Amino acid sequence: MLLDRGHAGGQPGAGAEAREQVCIFFVLLLQQVVKKTCFRGQPSVFFFFYPPEKGDFLALDLGGTNFRVLLVKVSDNGKQKVEMENQIYAIPEELMRGSGSELFDHIAECLANFLEKLGIKNQKLPLGFTFSFPCQQTKLDESILVSWTKGFKSHGVEGRDVVSLLRKAIKKRGDFDIDIVAVINDTVGTMMTCGYDDHHCEIGLIVGTGTNACYMEEMRHLELVEGDEGRMCVNMEWGAFGDDGALDDLRTDFDREIDAGSLNPGKQLFEKMISGMYMGELVRLILVKMAKEDLVFKGHTTPDLLTTGHFQTSFVSAIENDKSEGLVSAEKVLRGLGLDPSGEDCVATQRVCQVVSTRAAHLCAATLVSVLRQIRDNKAAERLRTTIGVDVEQFLCVLAQMVRRLVPDCDVRFLRSEDGSGKGAAMVTAVAYRLATQHAERQRVLDALRLSREQLLEVKRRMGDEINRGLAKESHDQATVKMLPTYVRSTPDGTEHGDFLALDLGGTNFRVLLVRVRGGKRRSVEMHNKIYAIPQEAMQGTGEELFDHIVHCIADFLEYMGMKGASLPLGFTFSFPCHQNKLDQGILLKWTKGFKATGCEGEDVVSLLKDAIHRREFDLDVVAVVNDTVGTMMTCGYEDPLCEVGLIVGTGTNACYMEEMQNVELVEGDEGRMCVNMEWGAFGDHGELDDFSTEFDRAVDDCATNPGKQRYEKMISGMYLGEIVRNVLLEFTAKGLLFRGKLSERLKTRGIFETKFLSQIESDRLALRQVRSILQHLGLTSSTCDDSILVKEVCSVVARRAAQLCGAGLAAVVDKIRQNRNLSELKITVGVDGTLYKLHPHFSSIMHETVRDLAPQCEVTFLQSEDGSGKGAALITAVACRIRDAGQR
């Protein structure tokens, strides 16, 4: 049965139910479509021509026996203007069915001819390629031909990238060059052209020789494409709707006869019911059947009427007109087929043309309605306002009327495309070219933050030089890496035992710990601790008041543990800059972190603590003062005897390792080893890193509380990475490469982009919409999916450089240890602590990879420290007691 046997403008009859059935079937098709996208472009690229596109672009429009080459000039003088020049070239039939390489050679030859005619053959212009055949796309400038249609059979093309084939043909000629930026099909070109004039346009429709549609689908529904933010144009290839039998109960004997006689039986069944290639043939088959049943032409047929293809679709358009011109056209066409029609024959023929055309229009409308419902549901809109860009050769009025009848809750505008496929390809190219230019500029900026292997090897070499300068007595004062002796002479050997106190002071809170170390086969470390606050008046008062408060807390802890009056060895983790002359002495160089207690700077903090203990009239044996890096090494050394390096990468960064005594020239004696506190954060303070430093590093340093100091730390540690990222984002925004050139006030604020954001943004589990929520927290409420992707890339580049620089420094350390011991290969463990190392999703793996690459003769194991600063101080004390006890025997 043909849908709606009434005339084109009549009320829908029984066909209404069939149209709704088509809608239902088409929903199933849409569910498949959103999982199989064929066009991959920039999300929402169609909606935002920002900044205004301008320039000269080439377009190549290939979709039938003729193809066009166009030069499209886009100018911007307050209002965008598009001018076009084009030339049509024929494709000989032998090339359509011959060798694919010969086909593309012919296209390249025609391109050369066009460029030469316009005198632009020496210019390298961007080109957009409209290729209107079923393709699978994985990126904007790559399109794999799935299958030829429209009579093309050129061999060696199916399953291959048509852009590569065209590039190869152009390169073979060698007399011109172009930049193929984008490949699209004509439906997308139609949508893009109309979208240029009406930004509500989000659907493209073509019904000509063939038929197809495209629309903007939510990224979250496209399972074949990464990302879930924004939208992407989906090329539906809807002509194949029904190939799975979904339309079988709507197809007629005439449809089946057309399909059986086609070049591709069983394929493109929907297209065969509505497109121009088949509509005339459908009318011819109906007229033949009617003639055979003696309903028209007095039962007579002619050879022309019986010949496939002789009733052209253009005849249908002329005849279906309700006015008298339609009947005149019918008589003329029928006589051209050798018939002698009566007036009734002409009326009947007109009626058949109207029914066939109306059915096609209504089927097309039903499927369009499903697309409109999909978009409306995606937007959760009660009423959808949208525009459909159309390139429809006939039945547009009937189509529009039926769409509006089927979806009264949608305000739909139909905008006819003028030269859609050519101009549209040029507009896609214009947008893509602008985006490519912006991408190149962004990468140029980011490349300054990317380090080559050669650069990392140079960092390693320079770190090695500074290590040697810091160890040597003569050059120590000028060295940036100070290599401070810690007087820790040994790592744990497992025989340590006893109860030890540890005091961990490094901020406004401090901890007192009781650490019970058990040696032998069942060795273990048991810890108890209590946290105490340091009042502001103690931090800013006198040294006596501060240390009296600390000792008061120690006494409270011992009473809390039921050990009042006990005399225990104590290890003191004191995380402020100190100079040590022995294990139990630390001269405070300068307070940091808000402390300003008077009478402490330049004094031995162990002596200040002992004086406070004596004032309290109880006894403790302060055995060692250490920093947190050494504590980390000792903690891990208890678990793994091969651990001889400590590393902290958190708010700040530092490292320590066991150096041969003969190389530690600041300390007398050359037997055995001593742990050296490198204080490597100051590496680069004399310009060693200037050629690796960027404008963003210099901006961070200039605004820091210690400009010119701790340059290595400022390129690596958590305190500064977020600020580096913020400065890159400011640069990109100022250049219009990010956030559409609009800066939020919050992003201008120093320190607002916290380093924890890097860890969150780089998390593999974090969806782009969650990245956007972080950007919204920074006042960037209108950020796009593309902005989120770029921010993620900036975070990745900055964090990767930090991990690589840290790895290069560590490679210098482990190679130094290997060379000290004259080993061809070294097996060693590094104890690590710090929030950046522990919490960033990729920092540790990149650092490990860098060490392996730059120190290939060292087999390095990384052991994460738990509670290094407290436990480590106790273990250092335990080791010192073991060594002291052994010396007394």
Side-chain angles (χ1 to χ4, degrees), residues 841-855:
H842 307 301
F843 188 97
S844 60
S845 60
I846 294 169
M847 189 190 80
H848 299 169
E849 177 189 330
T850 304
V851 174
R852 277 195 303 271
D853 183 41
L854 302 185

Side-chain angles (χ1 to χ4, degrees), residues 230-249:
R231 304 202 292 172
M232 181 179 289
C233 181
V234 174
N235 167 23
M236 298 177 66
E237 290 296 342
W238 78 358
F241 177 41
D243 289 4
D244 60 352
L247 296 176
D248 283 358
D249 54 343

Side-chain angles (χ1 to χ4, degrees), residues 50 729 732-734 736-745 747-748 779-780 782 787:
Y50 172 85
L729 301 185
F732 280 171
T733 308
L737 303 174
L738 186 65
F739 307 134
R740 297 184 220 157
K742 296 176 183 176
L743 198 60
S744 78
E745 287 301 315
L747 194 60
K748 294 178 185 177
L780 299 159
S782 60
D787 292 333

Side-chain angles (χ1 to χ4, degrees), residues 542-544 547 572 574 576-581 584-591 597-609 611 625:
T542 66
E544 277 195 9
F547 282 92
F572 188 6
F574 189 74
F576 298 90
C578 284
H579 176 73
Q580 284 188 260
N581 289 315
D584 61 351
Q585 181 189 73
I587 309 299
L588 175 63
L589 300 177
K590 184 180 180 181
W591 280 121
T598 58
C600 297
E601 290 182 355
E603 299 295 326
D604 173 23
V605 295
V606 174
S607 295
L608 294 173
L609 180 61
D611 289 346
V625 59

Side-chain angles (χ1 to χ4, degrees), residues 167-271:
R167 283 177 177 151
K168 185 178 179 182
I170 293 169
K171 187 176 180 181
K172 187 164 63 173
R173 289 183 60 86
D175 59 340
F176 73 96
D177 194 14
I178 55 174
D179 184 9
I180 305 175
V181 175
V183 58
I184 63 173
N185 78 357
D186 50 357
T187 319
V188 178
T190 296
M191 184 187 75
M192 292 296 284
T193 298
C194 296
Y196 184 76
D197 298 319
D198 182 343
H199 286 190
H200 290 289
C201 183
E202 51 194 334
I203 302 173
L205 169 67
I206 286 183
V207 186
T209 308
T211 183
N212 194 14
C214 67
Y215 73 101
M216 299 301 293
E217 178 58 80
E218 300 296 318
M219 282 287 292
R220 65 181 184 271
H221 295 155
L222 301 178
E223 296 182 4
L224 294 188
V225 182
E226 289 184 11
D228 57 5
E229 283 289 322
R231 304 202 292 172
M232 181 179 289
C233 181
V234 174
N235 167 23
M236 298 177 66
E237 290 296 342
W238 78 358
F241 177 41
D243 289 4
D244 60 352
L247 296 176
D248 283 358
D249 54 343
L250 297 178
R251 294 172 68 224
T252 66
D253 291 339
F254 307 116
D255 296 308
R256 283 185 273 275
E257 188 173 348
I258 284 177
D259 179 50
S262 67
L263 290 171
N264 55 349
K267 305 293 184 185
Q268 301 294 106
L269 296 183
F270 183 61
E271 181 172 83

